[in-house]
Amino acid sequence: VQADGTDGNCVTFVLHDEDHTLGNSLRYMVMKNPDVEFCGYCITHPSESKINFRIQTRGALPAVEPFRKGLNDLMGVCQHVLNTFEVRLLPEERRGL
Amino acid sequence: PLAAAMAAKRGTDEMRDRVVLGEFGVRNVHTTDFPGNYPGYEDAWDQRRFEEAFRVDIIREEEGALEFDMVGIDAAIANAFRRILLAEVPTMAVEKVFVYNNTSIVQDEILAHRLGLIPIRADPRLFEYRNQGDEEGTEIDTLQFQLKIKCRRNPQAAKESSDPNELYFNHKVYSKHMTWVPLGNQTDLFPDADFRPVHDDILIALLRPGQEIDVLMHCVKGIGKDHAKFSPVATASYRLLPDITLLQPIEDEAAEVLQKCFSPGVIEIQNIKGKKVARVANARLDTFSREVFRHDGLKNLVRLARVRNHYIFSVESTGILPPDVLVSEAIKILMGKCQRFLNELDSVPME
């Protein structure tokens, strides 16, 4: 992860060894944050596996905060999906199949 | 005014929830429900609202295939799960083939390529990844298999027979001829384990008398991104739930034509007061061939759409791991990725 930007509000993170899998889902979670003015990602070159992930915030919020919140929210989503899926796999649920 | 407001709300609801298939293109493809786009809608992320709306339904579960529905999730995350299932769930597959003797017609490299593609029944969670420069392979990251087979002529065969099954022994090399050779303390680590290819009847090569194959194979743990042989799914795909609406009642011959436009079982014709009336019975079965747009009389009476956040996943496993385990592993891998970046954020100070 590297970060560079003019002030703390607009930051471009360079994520190595990542592609659309994390990029698009993280972009969706960050966009759901009302403090974020702009969020996008791009793959600099298809031969290199790294993405440029840019966040611009409204007001004086440092851009690292929505990034962190997006990652935490995505973890929360995955955890809930995993729990729901595993509950459905239990024998008593399956008996209804 | 109230009717106009209701119609406008229906319009925006449609834009938010449905992907509409028009005659010449698809509309409302992108997710637009981000905070600030629609006044009056609460779009900011709310874990509790997500958990209330989200559900998973398992539709069909077979030997190696699983069909389940995920409702209430967005395309970005559903696609992330699909991509991880295809490319990032690890499995064990043959990586290095040490050829001691190969006098068959199949060239060494072709034989090695074929051996690599054979799915190996070994739970990859019991093994580690091999370190970068390590050539030898230790017992915690390598599985060793041996394939040693020689074709002989059958002395008891009839003189005039031309059936190779009768004339020769071992002329077909199957995957069942691969035997596991335990390394180091693997017999103690895995006392009940039975490591072998998933299918016994994969034909590897054909031999004739005097030809033999003697190879030693090392299996390592890898992911599909590295080489497609490591992909654990035959395929993993999803589609959105179809939503067919009849904008006006359709009767008699038009109803018959409508029924033929869609996949069988989608449109049902009921007899109401002597007239045949069409009704959408089960939109889920439709494969959306859009045949209805070829009939000018019908194309404006039907709205073809897909529900934006209802995903019908279909996961077919190659047999290494059962499909429900694969989906759980995929979700855990996405969590692991997030955790990795959270850890980096906390450890590296940002200037």
Side-chain angles (χ1 to χ4, degrees):
Chain A
V1 175
Q2 301 164 0
D4 57 22
T6 48
D7 47 7
N9 297 351
C10 324
V11 174
T12 303
F13 298 91
V14 179
L15 308 181
H16 293 275
D17 285 335
E18 287 301 334
D19 57 358
H20 300 288
T21 308
L22 188 65
N24 200 17
S25 38
L26 190 57
R27 179 200 62 90
Y28 173 78
M29 300 309 296
V30 174
M31 283 285 281
K32 283 290 212 179
N33 188 341
D35 295 323
V36 166
E37 187 189 344
F38 171 85
C39 170
Y41 80 101
C42 70
I43 299 199
T44 43
H45 191 280
S47 305
E48 308 180 315
S49 79
K50 66 178 190 182
I51 63 176
N52 281 0
F53 194 91
R54 184 169 176 83
I55 301 182
Q56 277 172 216
T57 55
R58 261 186 256 283
L61 188 66
V64 191
E65 282 317 303
F67 186 60
R68 195 189 297 265
K69 183 169 186 302
L71 282 169
N72 280 321
D73 288 341
L74 190 55
M75 292 262 302
V77 169
C78 292
Q79 188 63 53
H80 181 71
V81 172
L82 187 61
N83 294 342
T84 320
F85 186 69
E86 295 200 327
V87 161
R88 298 306 250 146
L89 288 177
L90 292 175
E92 55 264 22
E93 295 272 340
R94 278 189 193 175
R95 234 178 275 141
L97 259 181
Chain B
L2 184 60
M6 292 285 291
K9 183 167 193 304
R10 259 204 313 278
T12 52
D13 277 343
E14 182 187 278
M15 198 154 59
R16 283 166 61 94
D17 307 326
R18 297 280 186 275
V19 177
V20 181
L21 277 71
E23 188 178 349
F24 297 112
V26 186
R27 298 198 302 272
N28 303 339
V29 174
H30 299 285
T31 322
T32 46
D33 56 346
F34 295 119
N37 281 352
Y38 297 100
Y41 284 89
E42 252 316 302
D43 283 332
W45 177 254
D46 186 359
Q47 178 79 7
R48 202 180 35 81
R49 216 173 38 230
F50 163 69
E51 289 185 9
E52 277 166 25
F54 180 72
R55 69 168 206 271
V56 172
D57 297 317
I58 303 205
I59 307 296
R60 198 176 57 226
E61 194 174 349
E62 278 158 24
E63 194 42 56
L66 176 67
E67 188 182 327
F68 66 98
D69 280 10
M70 264 208 240
V71 186
I73 202 174
D74 183 65
I77 305 176
N79 196 30
F81 290 142
R82 183 194 65 91
R83 286 174 66 100
I84 295 180
L85 275 168
L86 282 173
E88 297 191 41
V89 179
T91 58
M92 302 285 290
V94 174
E95 174 91 3
K96 276 212 163 43
V97 173
F98 299 96
V99 182
Y100 292 111
N101 190 1
N102 175 21
T103 41
S104 72
I105 325 184
V106 180
Q107 297 91 339
D108 289 346
E109 61 268 20
I110 309 292
L111 183 65
H113 182 244
R114 289 177 69 83
L115 290 169
L117 292 171
I118 297 173
I120 307 281
R121 185 194 302 281
D123 191 337
R125 296 169 289 184
L126 300 171
F127 295 91
E128 307 275 327
Y129 287 102
R130 196 182 265 199
N131 294 326
Q132 270 290 346
D134 191 2
E135 289 296 326
E136 277 302 315
T138 61
E139 53 245 0
I140 196 60
D141 59 33
T142 312
L143 270 182
Q144 211 177 47
F145 283 88
Q146 187 183 49
L147 177 63
K148 195 178 164 89
I149 191 162
K150 189 174 164 74
C151 179
R152 291 184 296 114
R153 195 180 292 276
N154 181 4
Q156 268 90 37
K159 280 277 171 16
E160 301 81 26
S161 125
S162 59
D163 177 19
N165 290 326
E166 216 185 285
L167 284 175
Y168 315 121
F169 287 135
N170 290 343
H171 71 284
K172 284 188 182 169
V173 181
Y174 287 107
S175 50
K176 67 174 187 258
H177 296 130
M178 283 168 64
T179 52
W180 177 44
V181 178
L183 271 181
N185 62 348
Q186 275 179 348
T187 31
D188 307 317
L189 278 175
F190 313 112
D192 322 308
D194 171 29
F195 295 126
R196 55 188 170 76
V198 174
H199 305 280
D200 283 334
D201 52 356
I202 300 178
L203 183 62
I204 302 176
L206 288 176
L207 300 175
R208 285 293 179 264
Q211 295 178 343
E212 77 172 286
I213 296 182
D214 181 7
V215 301
L216 194 66
M217 294 166 263
H218 280 191
C219 291
V220 293
K221 184 170 169 179
I223 56 176
K225 248 200 226 181
D226 179 24
H227 192 290
K229 70 190 178 198
F230 293 115
S231 180
V233 289
T235 191
S237 63
Y238 66 76
R239 61 188 179 106
L240 273 69
L241 181 75
D243 175 39
I244 303 173
T245 332
L246 299 178
L247 299 170
Q248 288 170 28
I250 299 185
E251 294 163 355
D252 297 328
E253 290 137 14
E256 297 276 332
V257 175
L258 190 73
Q259 192 178 42
K260 291 201 174 41
C261 287
F262 291 98
S263 310
V266 175
I267 300 276
E268 170 187 80
I269 300 203
Q270 289 174 326
N271 222 316
I272 299 185
K273 297 184 199 148
K275 278 203 298 192
K276 290 194 276 197
V277 179
R279 191 181 76 87
V280 178
N282 190 359
R284 194 197 165 94
L285 299 169
D286 195 31
T287 48
F288 271 171
S289 59
R290 296 156 73 147
E291 171 76 17
V292 72
F293 290 125
R294 295 181 61 209
H295 301 270
D296 286 326
L298 289 177
K299 68 182 177 192
N300 295 321
L301 306 180
V302 183
R303 188 192 75 168
L304 295 181
R306 289 193 187 268
V307 181
R308 188 192 288 283
N309 60 0
H310 186 136
Y311 293 89
I312 304 174
F313 272 82
S314 163
V315 178
E316 220 180 280
S317 158
T318 47
I320 303 177
L321 288 171
D324 42 340
V325 173
L326 284 175
V327 177
S328 307
E329 287 298 307
I331 304 176
K332 287 179 198 157
I333 288 177
L334 187 56
M335 286 203 289
K337 284 182 192 260
C338 296
Q339 191 62 48
R340 205 181 91 203
F341 285 111
L342 278 172
N343 293 343
E344 274 208 55
L345 262 187
D346 291 330
S347 62
V348 173
M350 297 272 125
E351 346 75 45

